[in-house]
Amino acid sequence: MKKIIIPVNEKAANNQGCIKLDPEVLAYVSNYSAKSGWSIKKTASMILRQAFENGLVEIEGKEGSE
């Protein structure tokens, strides 16, 4: 199974608890949300939680590279 690779970014992380998704990603999450009956927030949270729990996410690269 392929992993999700997140490149290192030197910018500060948004720790405010609120994020804006790219329009394409929002469309994916909205579609799954509509089909499942869960809210967009809950759907995105479940997807991310399962990705982390199943070891599908890695941080790759050196700090400062985008």
Side-chain angles (χ1 to χ4, degrees), residues 51-65:
F52 286 114
E53 289 173 353
N54 290 297
L56 299 176
V57 180
E58 285 185 7
I59 305 297
E60 185 175 272
K62 294 184 179 183
E63 187 173 345
S65 61

Side-chain angles (χ1 to χ4, degrees), residues 1-49:
M1 181 178 290
K2 292 189 177 190
K3 293 191 177 191
I4 298 165
I5 305 296
I6 300 173
V8 173
N9 185 352
E10 65 184 33
K11 297 175 185 171
N14 175 357
N15 294 320
Q16 298 175 355
C18 180
I19 62 169
K20 291 184 181 179
L21 300 175
D22 292 336
E24 183 179 7
V25 174
L26 180 58
Y28 292 142
V29 176
S30 295
N31 185 37
Y32 285 114
S33 174
K35 289 180 179 180
S36 69
W38 291 102
S39 69
I40 291 174
K41 176 183 174 182
K42 181 68 174 179
T43 302
S45 294
M46 286 191 282
I47 291 167
L48 288 169
R49 183 175 293 112

